[in-house]
Amino acid sequence: MFAVTATQTDPDNPLAGLTLGERPEPKVPDGWTTVSVRAAALNHHDLWTLKGVGIRQDRLPIVLGCDAAGVDEDGNEVIVHSVIGTGADETLDPKRSLLSETYDGTFAERVAVPRRNLVPKPSTLSFEHAACLPTAWLTAYRMLFDKAGLQPGSTVLVQGAGGGVATALIALGRAGGYRIWATSRSEKKRERARELGAEQVFEPGARLPERVDAVMETVGQATWEHSLKSLKPGGRIVVSGATSGAVPPADLNRVFFLQLSVVGSTMGTREQLRRLAIFLEQTGVRPVVDRVLPLAEARDGFAAMAAGELFGKIVFTRE
């Protein structure tokens, strides 16, 4: 079968290890099944794997890709939850992994996954939209509706509008009844964020009209000080990543004096993925897709992500 594989890692030239071509059919352990992939979404995780982050060298070569939507062996349209683990919350299993870390991922014609990892795809969602949910959109859903502790009408600052998680935070937050503000270095991306539902947009580090109830932080080092300064007393920063570098230590004096809280967040559970799919079906909210490419042109998608030339998600299809 055709697949997109990491064959080597290079922190300075990650695309050097990106290999497109034939791979063996997936092995299917007991309790697992095979999904014919119709669409798969690109994440920063895939680029980090090519850089050598979070992957053991003895796992190479490995098929890349965490997210997918497709058809199972019984002909059902499904979304693949990419966290391989046990327990009610797989994300808290200390032995958990994502597809493409220990097991081959979704950038292939077919992928093997545990049966318990399949979630029904609503018929109103396209495969391309459904493929965006398991990582970026599920992370945003958990950040907003599980970790942030917000009430309807709360003001939420989204740092770094443009990526998959950030665009999901804006769209979901608006649909959930929050007042969404967003930052971006790019004037074009700020305008796109406004069109997506952000009430106000700002340059990074800008002085805000007022302090906010919560900050959604996926950027890290470049925005961390601004995130702390932007919070109301008792506010909360929800952190799910750091694309600009590690999150620096908190300003403990400010945190203590203003009674701020900093909460880490991971991808959501399989049950939260099911709820997210239903939420999108009911509200009509859809993921922002920057571009759809055939799997054979995956290198172009990786190059765009590496250069930061995207707004929303990049999706690969079989054709």
Side-chain angles (χ1 to χ4, degrees):
M1 66 174 183
F2 186 85
V4 177
T5 306
T7 52
Q8 69 179 57
T9 60
D10 187 330
D12 300 317
N13 184 19
L15 270 62
L18 187 65
T19 302
L20 282 64
E22 293 299 311
R23 285 280 294 170
E25 290 287 335
K27 296 179 180 179
V28 186
D30 290 342
W32 289 45
T33 188
T34 302
V35 173
S36 295
V37 177
R38 296 291 181 83
L42 180 64
N43 291 286
H44 273 97
H45 182 276
D46 304 303
L47 196 61
W48 291 332
T49 297
L50 290 168
K51 291 182 177 182
V53 178
I55 185 75
R56 298 201 323 261
Q57 295 302 302
D58 62 358
R59 290 302 308 154
L60 302 179
I62 194 166
V63 177
L64 293 165
C66 303
D67 296 349
V71 178
D72 69 11
E73 292 177 330
D74 298 322
N76 301 307
E77 296 184 353
V78 296
I79 306 171
V80 176
H81 184 234
S82 61
V83 182
I84 311 299
T86 60
D89 187 340
E90 308 91 332
T91 67
L92 301 181
D93 179 357
K95 295 183 179 180
R96 72 189 182 281
S97 67
L98 296 182
L99 288 171
S100 78
E101 290 181 347
T102 302
Y103 305 99
D104 279 336
T106 59
F107 292 169
E109 294 179 63
R110 285 166 291 282
V111 61
V113 296
R115 292 183 184 277
R116 73 192 298 268
N117 281 57
L118 300 184
V119 170
K121 180 185 80 66
S123 59
T124 55
L125 282 183
S126 68
F127 284 108
E128 291 81 4
H129 284 149
C132 298
L133 302 190
T135 298
W137 276 67
L138 184 55
T139 298
Y141 182 85
R142 189 170 196 167
M143 291 173 75
L144 279 170
F145 302 125
D146 184 8
K147 298 294 185 179
L150 297 169
Q151 299 296 321
S154 296
T155 303
V156 179
L157 177 65
V158 177
Q159 295 281 24
V165 175
T167 55
L169 287 164
I170 295 169
L172 289 173
R174 175 67 180 270
Y178 303 140
R179 188 167 63 149
I180 301 296
W181 295 353
T183 69
S184 176
R185 292 175 297 175
S186 164
E187 181 179 355
K188 182 178 180 180
K189 289 183 179 180
R190 291 196 297 273
E191 184 56 35
R192 291 286 302 276
R194 191 189 300 274
E195 293 170 359
L196 187 56
E199 183 177 303
Q200 295 195 58
V201 294
F202 308 92
E203 294 183 2
R207 184 179 181 86
L208 305 182
E210 61 187 72
R211 291 181 177 177
V212 300
D213 298 290
V215 178
M216 303 293 111
E217 177 62 78
T218 63
V219 179
Q221 188 172 24
T223 56
W224 185 248
E225 183 177 357
H226 185 244
S227 293
L228 283 174
K229 290 180 177 179
S230 299
L231 280 175
K232 292 179 180 177
R236 178 174 294 185
I237 300 176
V238 184
V239 182
S240 71
T243 57
S244 72
V247 171
D251 180 344
L252 296 181
N253 288 330
R254 180 183 296 274
V255 170
F256 178 78
F257 180 73
L258 296 179
Q259 297 183 5
L260 308 179
S261 60
V262 179
V263 178
S265 185
T266 64
M267 291 167 55
T269 66
R270 183 180 71 258
E271 173 59 21
Q272 287 173 326
L273 177 58
R274 184 188 69 82
R275 294 177 191 170
L276 170 60
I278 294 173
F279 183 83
L280 265 59
E281 183 178 37
Q282 294 176 339
T283 61
V285 173
R286 294 295 182 268
V288 178
V289 176
D290 182 88
R291 69 196 74 180
V292 177
L293 298 170
L295 199 58
E297 297 177 16
R299 185 175 296 275
D300 293 341
F302 274 84
M305 175 168 280
E309 297 172 351
L310 75 165
F311 186 88
K313 299 294 291 179
I314 295 174
V315 178
F316 301 137
T317 59
R318 292 177 61 174
E319 297 178 356

